[in-house]
Amino acid sequence: MTQFVFDPDGEVARSIDDKRASDQGDGHRPHLGCSIIGRECAREIWYSFRWSSQVQWSGRMLRLFDRGQREEDVFVSLLRSIGCEVWDHTPKGDQYRVSFADGYIGGSVDGVAKGIPGAPDTPHLLEFKTHNDKSFKDLKKKGLIESKPAHYAQMQMYMKGLGLKMTRGLYMALNKNNEEIYTERVSYDANVAKEYLGRGIDIVESRVPLPKISNRPDWYQCKWCNFSAQCHKGLPLSKNCRTCEYVQLPGAGKWSCGRTNKELSATEQKNGCEEWKSV
Protein backbone atom coordinates (compact mmCIF):
# COMPACT_ATOMS: atom_id res chain seq x y z
CA MET A 1 0.00 0.00 0.00
CA THR A 2 1.34 3.41 -0.92
CA GLN A 3 1.75 5.69 2.07
CA PHE A 4 1.35 9.40 1.50
CA VAL A 5 3.08 11.93 3.72
CA PHE A 6 1.42 15.30 3.70
CA ASP A 7 3.52 18.42 4.10
CA PRO A 8 6.74 16.67 5.18
CA ASP A 9 8.61 19.98 5.42
CA GLY A 10 6.01 21.67 7.62
CA GLU A 11 5.22 24.25 4.97
CA VAL A 12 1.64 24.76 6.13
CA ALA A 13 2.59 25.38 9.77
CA ARG A 14 5.48 27.60 8.73
CA SER A 15 3.21 29.64 6.47
CA ILE A 16 0.69 30.10 9.29
CA ASP A 17 3.32 31.33 11.73
CA ASP A 18 4.98 33.56 9.14
CA LYS A 19 1.62 35.17 8.37
CA ARG A 20 0.81 35.67 12.06
CA ALA A 21 4.22 37.26 12.64
CA SER A 22 3.91 39.57 9.63
CA ASP A 23 0.51 40.80 10.82
CA GLN A 24 1.69 41.90 14.26
CA GLY A 25 1.81 45.58 15.05
CA ASP A 26 4.63 47.36 16.80
CA GLY A 27 3.35 46.30 20.24
CA HIS A 28 3.73 49.80 21.70
CA ARG A 29 1.20 50.73 24.36
CA PRO A 30 0.34 54.40 24.78
CA HIS A 31 0.48 54.02 28.57
CA LEU A 32 2.44 52.16 31.22
CA GLY A 33 0.41 49.00 31.75
CA CYS A 34 -0.68 47.84 35.20
CA SER A 35 0.19 44.33 33.99
CA ILE A 36 3.92 45.12 34.03
CA ILE A 37 4.17 47.61 36.89
CA GLY A 38 5.02 44.80 39.33
CA ARG A 39 7.93 43.39 37.35
CA GLU A 40 11.14 43.34 39.31
CA CYS A 41 13.32 45.45 37.01
CA ALA A 42 12.29 49.11 36.89
CA ARG A 43 14.59 49.73 33.93
CA GLU A 44 12.79 47.11 31.84
CA ILE A 45 9.47 48.83 32.59
CA TRP A 46 10.96 52.24 31.68
CA TYR A 47 12.31 50.86 28.40
CA SER A 48 8.88 49.48 27.54
CA PHE A 49 7.06 52.70 28.42
CA ARG A 50 9.51 54.73 26.33
CA TRP A 51 9.32 52.40 23.30
CA SER A 52 13.06 51.81 23.53
CA SER A 53 13.11 48.80 21.21
CA GLN A 54 10.96 47.30 18.48
CA VAL A 55 9.92 43.99 20.05
CA GLN A 56 8.89 41.40 17.47
CA TRP A 57 7.47 38.02 18.45
CA SER A 58 7.49 34.77 16.51
CA GLY A 59 4.23 33.51 15.05
CA ARG A 60 4.18 30.66 17.56
CA MET A 61 4.50 33.04 20.52
CA LEU A 62 1.78 35.27 19.13
CA ARG A 63 -0.51 32.27 18.84
CA LEU A 64 0.19 31.51 22.49
CA PHE A 65 -0.80 35.07 23.39
CA ASP A 66 -3.93 34.66 21.27
CA ARG A 67 -4.87 31.57 23.24
CA GLY A 68 -4.64 33.49 26.48
CA GLN A 69 -7.08 36.03 25.08
CA ARG A 70 -9.48 33.33 23.91
CA GLU A 71 -9.46 31.63 27.30
CA GLU A 72 -10.92 34.74 28.91
CA ASP A 73 -14.29 33.94 27.34
CA VAL A 74 -13.97 30.37 28.61
CA PHE A 75 -13.33 31.56 32.18
CA VAL A 76 -16.36 33.85 32.02
CA SER A 77 -18.52 30.98 30.73
CA LEU A 78 -17.34 28.68 33.51
CA LEU A 79 -18.15 31.24 36.20
CA ARG A 80 -21.58 31.82 34.76
CA SER A 81 -22.16 28.07 34.66
CA ILE A 82 -21.96 27.95 38.48
CA GLY A 83 -24.38 30.84 38.88
CA CYS A 84 -22.02 33.83 39.05
CA GLU A 85 -22.99 37.19 37.61
CA VAL A 86 -20.13 38.41 35.45
CA TRP A 87 -19.57 41.84 33.91
CA ASP A 88 -16.72 41.60 31.41
CA HIS A 89 -17.63 44.43 29.02
CA THR A 90 -19.27 47.84 29.18
CA PRO A 91 -22.69 48.34 27.55
CA LYS A 92 -20.78 49.58 24.48
CA GLY A 93 -18.84 46.32 24.29
CA ASP A 94 -15.52 47.66 25.54
CA GLN A 95 -13.39 46.25 28.35
CA TYR A 96 -13.53 48.07 31.66
CA ARG A 97 -10.44 50.22 32.11
CA VAL A 98 -8.60 51.89 34.98
CA SER A 99 -6.40 54.96 34.70
CA PHE A 100 -3.85 56.65 36.96
CA ALA A 101 -1.23 59.39 36.91
CA ASP A 102 -3.21 61.67 34.62
CA GLY A 103 -3.63 58.92 32.04
CA TYR A 104 -0.01 57.76 31.80
CA ILE A 105 -0.70 54.53 33.71
CA GLY A 106 -3.63 52.24 32.97
CA GLY A 107 -4.98 48.84 32.09
CA SER A 108 -7.94 46.76 30.95
CA VAL A 109 -9.86 44.68 33.50
CA ASP A 110 -10.89 41.11 32.68
CA GLY A 111 -14.14 41.54 34.55
CA VAL A 112 -16.06 41.78 37.82
CA ALA A 113 -18.25 39.05 39.29
CA LYS A 114 -20.72 38.39 42.11
CA GLY A 115 -21.80 35.03 43.43
CA ILE A 116 -18.26 33.72 43.97
CA PRO A 117 -18.39 30.67 46.28
CA GLY A 118 -17.16 31.65 49.73
CA ALA A 119 -18.31 35.26 49.46
CA PRO A 120 -21.34 35.34 47.14
CA ASP A 121 -22.44 38.88 48.05
CA THR A 122 -19.01 40.49 47.56
CA PRO A 123 -18.05 41.87 44.14
CA HIS A 124 -14.74 40.37 42.97
CA LEU A 125 -12.30 41.73 40.44
CA LEU A 126 -11.50 38.98 37.94
CA GLU A 127 -8.02 38.25 36.63
CA PHE A 128 -7.52 35.38 34.18
CA LYS A 129 -4.15 33.86 33.26
CA THR A 130 -2.92 30.80 31.36
CA HIS A 131 0.27 28.99 32.37
CA ASN A 132 2.54 26.26 31.12
CA ASP A 133 2.92 23.24 33.38
CA LYS A 134 6.06 24.45 35.18
CA SER A 135 4.62 27.89 35.90
CA PHE A 136 1.29 26.43 37.03
CA LYS A 137 2.90 24.00 39.47
CA ASP A 138 4.99 26.80 40.95
CA LEU A 139 1.85 28.89 41.40
CA LYS A 140 0.04 26.05 43.20
CA LYS A 141 3.01 25.43 45.45
CA LYS A 142 3.85 29.01 46.43
CA GLY A 143 0.63 30.97 45.93
CA LEU A 144 0.07 34.12 43.93
CA ILE A 145 2.08 36.69 45.91
CA GLU A 146 5.29 34.66 45.94
CA SER A 147 5.00 32.94 42.57
CA LYS A 148 3.53 35.74 40.43
CA PRO A 149 4.10 39.07 42.20
CA ALA A 150 3.50 41.04 38.98
CA HIS A 151 0.04 39.49 38.66
CA TYR A 152 -0.67 40.33 42.30
CA ALA A 153 0.43 43.93 41.74
CA GLN A 154 -1.77 44.12 38.66
CA MET A 155 -4.81 43.04 40.68
CA GLN A 156 -4.08 45.53 43.45
CA MET A 157 -3.86 48.35 40.92
CA TYR A 158 -7.10 47.29 39.26
CA MET A 159 -8.96 47.10 42.58
CA LYS A 160 -7.67 50.57 43.46
CA GLY A 161 -8.75 51.91 40.09
CA LEU A 162 -12.25 50.43 40.30
CA GLY A 163 -13.07 52.19 43.56
CA LEU A 164 -13.46 51.82 47.30
CA LYS A 165 -16.09 49.06 47.16
CA MET A 166 -13.76 46.72 45.27
CA THR A 167 -12.06 44.92 48.14
CA ARG A 168 -11.72 41.38 46.76
CA GLY A 169 -10.34 39.75 43.66
CA LEU A 170 -10.45 36.28 42.14
CA TYR A 171 -7.36 35.03 40.33
CA MET A 172 -8.10 32.17 37.94
CA ALA A 173 -5.26 30.24 36.31
CA LEU A 174 -5.37 27.52 33.67
CA ASN A 175 -2.73 24.86 33.08
CA LYS A 176 -2.50 24.69 29.29
CA ASN A 177 -1.00 21.21 29.47
CA ASN A 178 -3.88 19.46 31.23
CA GLU A 179 -6.72 22.02 31.65
CA GLU A 180 -6.37 22.06 35.46
CA ILE A 181 -7.73 25.23 37.07
CA TYR A 182 -6.29 27.02 40.09
CA THR A 183 -8.17 29.81 41.87
CA GLU A 184 -7.13 32.15 44.63
CA ARG A 185 -9.13 34.89 46.33
CA VAL A 186 -7.15 38.09 46.91
CA SER A 187 -7.85 40.88 49.40
CA TYR A 188 -7.29 44.50 48.45
CA ASP A 189 -4.31 46.09 50.23
CA ALA A 190 -4.38 49.88 49.91
CA ASN A 191 -0.76 50.20 51.02
CA VAL A 192 0.45 47.76 48.37
CA ALA A 193 -1.57 49.52 45.68
CA LYS A 194 -0.19 52.88 46.78
CA GLU A 195 3.37 51.52 46.69
CA TYR A 196 3.03 50.20 43.14
CA LEU A 197 1.31 53.37 41.94
CA GLY A 198 4.17 55.41 43.38
CA ARG A 199 6.64 53.16 41.60
CA GLY A 200 4.77 53.62 38.34
CA ILE A 201 4.76 57.40 38.71
CA ASP A 202 8.52 57.38 39.36
CA ILE A 203 9.03 55.40 36.15
CA VAL A 204 6.76 57.68 34.12
CA GLU A 205 8.45 60.83 35.39
CA SER A 206 12.04 59.63 34.99
CA ARG A 207 13.74 61.18 31.97
CA VAL A 208 16.53 58.60 31.98
CA PRO A 209 16.63 54.80 32.32
CA LEU A 210 16.30 53.66 35.92
CA PRO A 211 18.83 51.34 37.63
CA LYS A 212 19.04 47.85 36.15
CA ILE A 213 18.30 44.71 38.14
CA SER A 214 21.76 43.26 37.49
CA ASN A 215 25.04 44.26 35.85
CA ARG A 216 25.43 40.74 34.51
CA PRO A 217 24.01 40.17 31.01
CA ASP A 218 23.89 36.44 31.74
CA TRP A 219 21.64 36.99 34.77
CA TYR A 220 18.54 34.88 34.15
CA GLN A 221 16.14 37.83 34.08
CA CYS A 222 18.44 39.88 31.86
CA LYS A 223 19.18 37.04 29.46
CA TRP A 224 15.54 36.80 28.38
CA CYS A 225 14.72 40.51 28.56
CA ASN A 226 13.56 42.20 25.35
CA PHE A 227 15.81 45.16 26.11
CA SER A 228 19.00 43.31 27.04
CA ALA A 229 20.92 44.66 24.03
CA GLN A 230 20.15 48.27 24.95
CA CYS A 231 20.79 47.70 28.65
CA HIS A 232 23.95 45.60 28.59
CA LYS A 233 25.48 45.99 25.13
CA GLY A 234 24.97 49.67 24.46
CA LEU A 235 22.67 49.23 21.46
CA PRO A 236 21.04 52.62 20.72
CA LEU A 237 17.48 53.16 21.81
CA SER A 238 14.88 53.12 19.05
CA LYS A 239 14.55 56.48 17.35
CA ASN A 240 11.19 57.93 18.38
CA CYS A 241 9.90 60.87 20.36
CA ARG A 242 9.65 58.95 23.61
CA THR A 243 13.38 58.25 23.66
CA CYS A 244 14.21 61.83 22.71
CA GLU A 245 15.75 64.35 25.08
CA TYR A 246 13.23 66.99 24.00
CA VAL A 247 10.06 65.08 24.86
CA GLN A 248 7.71 66.44 27.52
CA LEU A 249 4.73 64.95 29.39
CA PRO A 250 2.32 67.89 29.80
CA GLY A 251 -0.49 65.83 31.38
CA ALA A 252 -3.73 64.11 30.38
CA GLY A 253 -1.71 61.24 28.91
CA LYS A 254 -0.29 63.53 26.25
CA TRP A 255 3.24 63.88 24.90
CA SER A 256 4.76 67.02 23.40
CA CYS A 257 8.02 68.26 21.94
CA GLY A 258 9.95 70.65 24.17
CA ARG A 259 11.77 72.04 21.14
CA THR A 260 8.69 72.96 19.08
CA ASN A 261 6.05 73.08 21.87
CA LYS A 262 3.86 70.88 19.67
CA GLU A 263 1.58 68.15 20.98
CA LEU A 264 2.56 64.81 19.42
CA SER A 265 0.12 62.27 18.03
CA ALA A 266 0.86 58.56 18.49
CA THR A 267 2.03 58.37 14.88
CA GLU A 268 4.33 61.35 15.31
CA GLN A 269 5.76 59.84 18.49
CA LYS A 270 6.64 56.63 16.66
CA ASN A 271 8.23 58.39 13.68
CA GLY A 272 10.39 60.92 15.52
CA CYS A 273 12.17 63.60 13.50
CA GLU A 274 15.60 64.62 12.24
CA GLU A 275 16.29 66.61 15.42
CA TRP A 276 15.96 63.47 17.56
CA LYS A 277 18.51 63.34 20.39
CA SER A 278 18.67 60.23 22.54
CA VAL A 279 18.14 60.56 26.28
Side-chain angles (χ1 to χ4, degrees):
M1 179 182 294
T2 304
Q3 187 173 27
F4 294 96
V5 179
F6 175 70
D7 199 25
D9 298 321
E11 185 175 356
V12 173
R14 186 168 60 253
S15 297
I16 289 171
D17 282 345
D18 288 348
K19 176 67 168 115
R20 183 64 185 86
S22 68
D23 287 345
Q24 69 183 296
D26 54 36
H28 294 324
R29 293 182 179 180
H31 57 270
L32 193 164
C34 293
S35 60
I36 68 172
I37 207 167
R39 291 183 181 178
E40 194 168 351
C41 183
R43 177 173 285 201
E44 176 197 3
I45 303 171
W46 187 93
Y47 277 143
S48 177
F49 178 62
R50 292 287 180 147
W51 300 349
S52 300
S53 177
Q54 180 67 59
V55 178
Q56 292 290 294
W57 300 99
S58 69
R60 183 184 70 83
M61 287 302 301
L62 290 167
R63 287 191 293 105
L64 280 172
F65 299 153
D66 292 342
R67 179 178 178 185
Q69 292 292 322
R70 293 194 302 271
E71 290 291 346
E72 292 179 7
D73 290 336
V74 175
F75 279 123
V76 169
S77 178
L78 291 173
L79 287 172
R80 286 175 174 159
S81 75
I82 60 171
C84 298
E85 294 181 86
V86 181
W87 298 270
D88 57 333
H89 289 88
T90 69
K92 293 183 178 180
D94 301 318
Q95 279 190 291
Y96 291 99
R97 293 192 55 81
V98 298
S99 181
F100 305 96
D102 211 12
Y104 292 105
I105 300 173
S108 298
V109 176
D110 288 340
V112 174
K114 285 188 69 176
I116 302 296
D121 297 325
T122 304
H124 281 65
L125 165 81
L126 299 175
E127 184 58 39
F128 306 137
K129 299 292 185 186
T130 60
H131 297 259
N132 61 32
D133 190 58
K134 180 180 179 181
S135 174
F136 187 87
K137 288 178 178 176
D138 187 75
L139 172 65
K140 285 185 63 179
K141 178 180 179 181
K142 299 177 181 177
L144 179 63
I145 295 177
E146 183 178 352
S147 179
K148 309 296 174 191
H151 296 173
Y152 176 72
Q154 181 181 6
M155 294 183 71
Q156 293 296 330
M157 291 289 289
Y158 285 168
M159 285 189 277
K160 179 178 180 65
L162 289 174
L164 296 175
K165 293 184 179 180
M166 187 57 57
T167 60
R168 293 289 178 89
L170 179 70
Y171 183 83
M172 297 187 68
L174 175 75
N175 185 329
K176 291 180 287 189
N177 292 66
N178 61 14
E179 293 295 313
E180 183 179 358
I181 292 174
Y182 171 85
T183 61
E184 184 173 333
R185 290 175 58 215
V186 177
S187 295
Y188 175 58
D189 189 321
N191 290 327
V192 171
K194 181 180 179 180
E195 177 184 346
Y196 279 113
L197 177 57
R199 185 186 196 224
I201 292 172
D202 288 343
I203 292 169
V204 166
E205 293 181 346
S206 179
R207 298 192 59 83
V208 296
L210 292 161
K212 63 184 73 175
I213 194 172
S214 173
N215 290 319
R216 290 176 46 189
D218 61 343
W219 180 250
Y220 75 101
Q221 287 162 301
C222 299
K223 186 163 57 175
W224 303 111
C225 178
N226 292 319
F227 308 102
S228 182
Q230 285 79 15
C231 186
H232 290 287
K233 299 179 182 178
L235 188 74
L237 304 183
S238 293
K239 181 181 177 181
N240 64 69
C241 292
R242 293 198 179 197
T243 60
C244 180
E245 186 177 283
Y246 299 116
V247 77
Q248 302 287 333
L249 281 68
K254 298 177 180 178
W255 297 71
S256 64
C257 177
R259 187 179 58 83
T260 63
N261 294 319
K262 177 186 176 182
E263 184 180 323
L264 301 165
S265 68
T267 299
E268 289 171 325
Q269 292 172 43
K270 293 174 183 178
N271 292 337
C273 74
E274 294 303 317
E275 300 300 324
W276 177 80
K277 186 177 180 181
S278 181
V279 294

